[in-house]
Amino acid sequence: MTDKPAADLSEAEAVEELTRLADELARHDIAYHREDAPTISDAEYDALKRRNTELETAFPHLVRDNSPSLRVGAARSEQFAPVEHGVPMLSLDNAFSNEDALEFDARIRRFLRLSGAEEIGYTAEPKIDGLSASLRYEKGVFVQGATRGDGRVGEDVTENLRTIADIPGRLSGSGWPDVIEIRGEVYLGHEEFAALNAANAAAGLKTYANPRNSAAGSLRQIDPKITATRPLKFFAYAWGLISEPFAQTQWEALAKLKDWGFKTTPESRRVVSGQGLLDAYSAMEAVRPHLGYDIDGVVYKVDRLDWQHRLGFITRTPRWAVARKFPAEQARTILEAIDIQVGRTGAITPVARLHPVTVGGVVVVNATLHNADEIARKDVRIGDTVILQRAGDVIPQILGYVPEERPAGAVPYEFPTVCPCDLKTPIVKETTAAGAETVVRRCSGEFACPFQRIEHLRHFVSRRAYDIEGLGEKQLTFFFEKGWVAEPADIFRLARDEEKLAELRATDGYGETSISNLVAAINAKRRIPLDRFIFGLGVRHVGETTSMALARHFETVDRFIAVANAAAAQRAGGGYLALTELEGLGPTGVRAVLDFGGNDLGLVPDDVSLDKRLQLAIPKLNSRARAALIERFGDWDAIAAVAREAAAQAPGEDFRELSGVDAVGPVAARMIAEFFAEPHNHAKVDALLAQLDEVIPAERPKTDTAVAGKTIVFTGSLEKMTRDEAKAQAEALGAKVSGSVSKKTDLVVAGPGAGSKLKTATDLGVQVMTEDEWLALVGGG
Ligand code: IVH
């Protein structure tokens, strides 16, 4: 390396030095990664990379296609290669009480339409508090192991997993599928955890807060030799991809996993019915202190795998299993202050700042106080000793204060009247569309409010949206305050902005490794699944489930945006909303009033009662609907005016498509339309799209079934299955299920009691069939 400043080099010299640097860095990468034997120190390596960047900044046209600076993360930082799971790794829904557990049983009974006499068998397994892993075996040989990651893509930690004695390199016994992903939990026992922490503390190394963190840290060591020194253990309890079925029940599957050489939890039991679930929970609570490892509840799973299959999934959790959590732990601490936080949507939330206290294995310093009413109701005051509760990964809650400990002179908390942001907007109670007051207080500053802007960014990088690792609160705030990141697209721009990255390198606390890790983590998200893309927009009322439904419905980002934009121009106006909000007037009534449109063509006599006149003008209205109109609008002219206005303001076809998507509905549809009606939101979405390489279309529905691609409406009561099951079945076969009948509906499955939807279908000439015909069509009869 020459010492000459980059700017003083001739072009020929720069070319030569860049070539040399590229070779040298590549050599060190190999020595470090593949041979585990680096030949230079980190600092020397970083200096080489810095020099490379310096030259590339001075001679941007000389940046090589294979430049070390473009090989972001791949150098020292990219620790683990991504592994796409053959079948996604899901999480579980939680149950917190006996009622919840019984409701789980009842829900399954309803979904499967089981008679009261038919018993449902379950497994009740301890919920191991570790981290899940997926182990791929081909022809009985362990070939690859991965962490859960975001559920779809995990990290390749094969070599680290190989060091765990409980994970067989080769399956024993026989009868395993050719290909199988075994799923289970990597964990650390209490004794091992204590010993490891003691040893680390003695050596001046990092100690961990609890066995789970310790197990996670141990598994994600870059050097498997370190992992090998950690006494990690593994319990198998599930599977992902399999080349062929190998069991008929969960219980039988657990036995097979054991035959093949895995440890399975000895406390697992097979139980029957709701009461069986409750008994299993009590039994697990009783053995919990004697296990020697952490469990945080019981996992109930429907035993029969054919039933599991029928029950299927809701977004990211199975319908056939639930985690019954142990009760929350409580602790006492001092409430030191109450801060006001402004959320992504402007909602104002008071946050309790607490004297640090350990609850359930983690140190808690903040807790939500929800809203002003809640503070008033609980009458917590600054200086109080409060009772804190934390359950699982749930946000800690303040239950109340301890009266005997209240300091003299503690005064009731006064809620601020203006937003803490620069705009100082008055904080007012929000009202619903119908004018009722709610407990929500909101800052109306939107993107002009810096708090909301940063919350949007936080939401964007969060786990369930873009899941950008390493871009935590601190970093994001830092970039935001520097003015580098104001909107999502800026995050991606930053990853390619050598000037800013160079400035970061010169900043305290940002090593080469953390910068290249960050750049790699950002770049990895330039391909993003459509549902996450939609969720990441941060539109109010558009959560994960709604985002997934939208993604499945529209399939591609182009279609989604086209319809959302069109819907933005077709939002319903006030007159229309007034009609739809009128009690006594259903969808059919609304349609009839719209058809009438305020124009009776002079054919309706005006010398009869108002009710009679309405009946003649709009024959489809029933008496209740007429009474509602009369009561609300008073006279003929007013009713005609509203009908005219509403007809002109009715939402268009695209808006209706949006709100017709199952799990979306009119409120979320309105929010989406409003979002896309804002030019500044538009600009942000466009800028973001320009930074992305691909928005991955939602999983293509099946195309080889009789109903693939068709839009189906179920109406009336079904007798062989529930509406939910019918819907899940239709969706699994590639159909779209909608809640309302329109020209776009392909098929209506009508059971007894079908009413207006059936009528609309007949009017529109849509194909109609019975439940039996449906079952015959899809082969489920
Ligand atoms: S079954 C589709 N069984 O709990 C459901 N999970 O909240 C697959 N866990 O990610 C999971 N013990 O890490 C299952 N006996 C058990 C479990 C268990 C612990 C963890 C697992 C999972 C999480 C879900």
Side-chain angles (χ1 to χ4, degrees):
M1 199 190 306
T2 64
D3 287 323
K4 250 193 198 175
D8 296 350
L9 293 178
S10 72
E11 181 155 333
E13 285 172 320
V15 170
E16 197 199 303
E17 193 179 339
L18 280 168
T19 312
R20 197 162 41 73
L21 282 168
D23 287 350
E24 214 171 317
L25 283 163
R27 246 185 318 112
H28 293 309
D29 283 346
I30 292 170
Y32 183 90
H33 281 292
R34 299 212 203 122
E35 293 153 12
D36 238 349
T39 49
I40 54 171
S41 70
D42 273 16
E44 285 168 307
Y45 179 91
D46 288 350
L48 290 177
K49 274 209 97 167
R50 255 200 313 275
R51 177 68 178 173
N52 185 70
T53 310
E54 198 186 319
L55 293 188
E56 288 181 344
T57 314
F59 298 91
H61 58 289
L62 294 183
V63 175
R64 306 154 60 95
D65 283 347
N66 64 346
S67 158
S69 61
L70 296 178
R71 214 168 43 233
V72 275
R76 304 226 139 184
S77 50
E78 179 136 292
Q79 304 177 352
F80 304 109
V83 181
E84 186 159 349
H85 302 303
V87 164
M89 291 179 80
L90 300 150
S91 47
L92 295 172
D93 200 9
N94 290 328
F96 293 103
S97 62
N98 281 349
E99 289 70 49
D100 289 354
L102 294 175
E103 171 53 25
F104 168 68
D105 175 61
R107 202 160 58 225
I108 286 167
R109 184 172 294 284
R110 283 199 300 272
F111 191 97
L112 295 174
R113 279 219 160 213
L114 301 181
S115 72
E118 191 144 21
E119 296 284 17
I120 308 175
Y122 296 96
T123 62
E125 309 171 20
K127 186 169 187 305
I128 314 296
D129 198 6
L131 70 152
S132 49
S134 183
L135 318 171
R136 187 178 169 102
Y137 286 80
E138 291 177 9
K139 301 207 182 311
V141 178
F142 177 45
V143 293
Q144 190 173 53
T147 59
R148 177 173 187 277
D150 65 6
R152 198 176 63 85
V153 180
E155 294 171 309
D156 188 336
V157 287
T158 312
E159 296 315 313
N160 302 33
L161 287 165
R162 279 192 204 286
T163 68
I164 300 177
D166 291 345
I167 295 181
R170 208 171 256 286
L171 300 180
S172 47
S174 61
W176 13 268
D178 252 8
V179 178
I180 181 166
E181 289 173 345
I182 305 273
R183 306 254 163 105
E185 204 84 352
V186 175
Y187 69 101
L188 200 60
H190 291 156
E191 276 179 28
E192 292 82 1
F193 165 68
L196 175 63
N197 256 0
N200 274 10
L205 298 172
K206 175 175 175 162
T207 59
Y208 294 96
N210 55 45
R212 189 200 33 224
N213 290 354
S214 174
S218 302
L219 186 63
R220 296 182 75 263
Q221 290 290 327
I222 304 173
D223 184 355
K225 288 198 230 60
I226 300 182
T227 310
T229 66
R230 311 279 172 92
L232 294 173
K233 296 181 182 174
F234 182 81
F235 277 127
Y237 52 65
W239 59 94
L241 182 76
I242 42 173
S243 53
E244 55 265 338
F246 65 97
Q248 305 209 322
T249 63
Q250 169 72 13
W251 192 242
E252 183 192 350
L254 288 175
K256 293 230 164 131
L257 294 178
K258 197 161 176 215
D259 286 348
W260 299 340
F262 290 99
K263 298 262 175 13
T264 52
T265 46
E267 293 72 27
S268 291
R269 314 214 265 154
R270 196 184 173 283
V271 301
V272 164
S273 78
Q275 187 56 47
L277 297 179
L278 304 191
D279 296 344
Y281 175 79
S282 311
M284 211 69 81
E285 252 187 334
V287 295
R288 183 184 188 191
H290 314 294
L291 291 175
Y293 49 86
D294 277 353
I295 66 173
D296 56 347
V298 184
V299 182
Y300 300 135
K301 301 176 188 170
V302 169
D303 196 27
R304 272 176 62 163
L305 300 185
D306 58 335
W307 281 359
Q308 285 193 5
H309 186 75
R310 277 177 64 189
L311 286 156
F313 300 88
I314 322 166
T315 325
R316 292 180 212 283
T317 59
R319 245 186 226 106
W320 45 265
V322 76
R324 168 83 197 269
K325 293 294 198 75
F326 289 131
E329 287 190 40
Q330 295 189 354
R332 287 177 176 204
T333 189
I334 308 282
L335 174 62
E336 292 181 334
I338 296 177
D339 284 349
I340 298 300
Q341 260 180 10
V342 186
R344 170 167 61 88
T345 60
I348 307 277
T349 311
V351 177
R353 305 294 180 198
L354 305 164
H355 187 76
V357 61
T358 306
V359 197
V362 301
V363 179
V364 173
V365 287
N366 302 321
T368 174
L369 281 163
H370 300 289
N371 52 56
D373 296 15
E374 176 97 353
I375 300 180
R377 196 167 56 75
K378 291 184 176 152
D379 185 28
V380 286
R381 304 180 184 186
I382 293 164
D384 271 346
T385 295
V386 291
I387 301 165
L388 194 67
Q389 170 169 299
R390 181 179 166 275
D393 349 308
V394 184
I395 304 168
Q397 283 197 306
I398 290 183
L399 300 182
Y401 71 97
V402 184
E404 309 82 71
E405 307 276 337
R406 171 162 281 174
V411 288
Y413 178 71
E414 255 185 65
F415 208 81
T417 52
V418 295
C419 178
C421 77
D422 296 341
L423 305 175
K424 306 256 174 289
T425 57
I427 297 178
V428 286
K429 284 201 177 185
E430 196 174 59
T431 50
T432 66
E437 242 185 26
T438 72
V439 293
V440 181
R441 293 163 197 234
R442 213 180 281 283
C443 166
S444 53
E446 300 216 8
F447 272 97
C449 165
F451 295 111
Q452 291 183 55
R453 229 174 324 140
I454 190 147
E455 285 309 319
H456 258 280
L457 291 167
R458 249 178 228 150
H459 169 81
F460 185 82
V461 303
S462 68
R463 227 174 61 114
R464 296 183 303 164
Y466 280 65
D467 190 18
I468 299 183
E469 218 175 299
L471 193 51
E473 190 125 330
K474 233 176 72 193
Q475 284 82 352
L476 202 56
T477 312
F478 177 71
F479 296 148
F480 181 75
E481 281 171 359
K482 268 182 106 58
W484 286 3
V485 169
E487 57 168 308
D490 292 336
I491 294 172
F492 291 102
R493 291 192 184 110
L494 176 62
R496 286 189 180 147
D497 190 331
E498 281 308 325
E499 220 169 277
K500 294 201 173 96
L501 294 177
E503 192 181 327
L504 263 194
R505 279 183 195 100
T507 310
D508 267 358
Y510 281 90
E512 183 61 40
T513 313
S514 63
I515 294 173
S516 47
N517 273 344
L518 176 64
V519 170
I522 295 172
N523 284 336
K525 300 302 157 101
R526 289 186 198 268
R527 293 185 71 247
I528 195 83
L530 179 57
D531 59 306
R532 284 181 185 261
F533 174 87
I534 296 173
F535 182 64
L537 296 177
V539 181
R540 268 168 76 190
H541 293 282
V542 180
E544 257 185 312
T545 306
T546 305
S547 301
M548 182 60 89
L550 286 164
R552 292 213 173 114
H553 179 89
F554 291 108
E555 289 175 23
T556 65
V557 69
D558 292 343
R559 265 270 298 152
F560 167 69
I561 290 185
V563 173
N565 275 331
Q570 305 168 350
R571 282 169 301 155
Y576 176 83
L577 293 175
L579 265 194
T580 54
E581 280 169 15
L582 194 62
E583 215 171 310
L585 200 63
T588 321
V590 170
R591 192 144 357 93
V593 177
L594 295 179
D595 288 345
F596 158 62
N599 187 1
D600 67 1
L601 303 170
L603 298 175
V604 177
D606 56 7
D607 54 354
V608 293
S609 73
L610 184 49
D611 185 63
K612 184 74 194 164
R613 204 169 161 190
L614 271 179
Q615 196 180 353
L616 291 169
I618 321 176
K620 282 184 183 164
L621 282 189
N622 60 26
S623 59
R624 181 154 179 253
R626 291 197 301 275
L629 282 172
I630 293 170
E631 170 167 354
R632 173 76 168 74
F633 301 109
D635 60 30
W636 171 263
D637 288 340
I639 295 172
V642 158
R644 216 171 298 124
E645 196 185 323
Q649 298 170 334
E653 185 75 10
D654 296 282
F655 186 93
R656 284 208 302 274
E657 174 170 3
L658 205 53
S659 67
V661 177
D662 194 63
V664 176
V667 177
R670 187 153 60 84
M671 294 296 164
I672 295 166
E674 272 170 19
F675 180 90
F676 278 89
E678 284 293 341
H680 65 89
N681 286 335
H682 249 267
K684 287 193 177 70
V685 173
D686 287 346
L688 172 61
L689 282 170
Q691 292 295 322
L692 299 177
D693 292 336
E694 189 193 1
V695 180
I696 305 166
E699 203 179 296
R700 292 233 155 243
K702 289 199 178 166
T703 52
D704 55 350
T705 71
V707 295
K710 302 227 161 122
T711 301
I712 300 178
V713 174
F714 292 95
T715 183
S717 54
L718 302 176
E719 286 168 334
K720 305 245 160 73
M721 53 188 169
T722 50
R723 192 72 74 80
D724 282 345
E725 182 175 8
K727 185 168 154 272
Q729 180 193 42
E731 281 171 352
L733 293 170
K736 288 175 191 160
V737 177
S738 170
S740 62
V741 179
S742 73
K743 282 186 304 212
K744 293 196 176 161
T745 311
D746 295 298
L747 174 64
V748 170
V749 179
S756 65
K757 289 183 194 169
L758 175 57
K759 170 129 189 6
T760 313
T762 324
D763 290 349
L764 292 172
V766 173
Q767 187 189 358
V768 177
M769 62 172 64
T770 63
E771 183 180 3
D772 283 336
E773 286 167 335
W774 162 257
L775 287 172
L777 177 69
V778 299

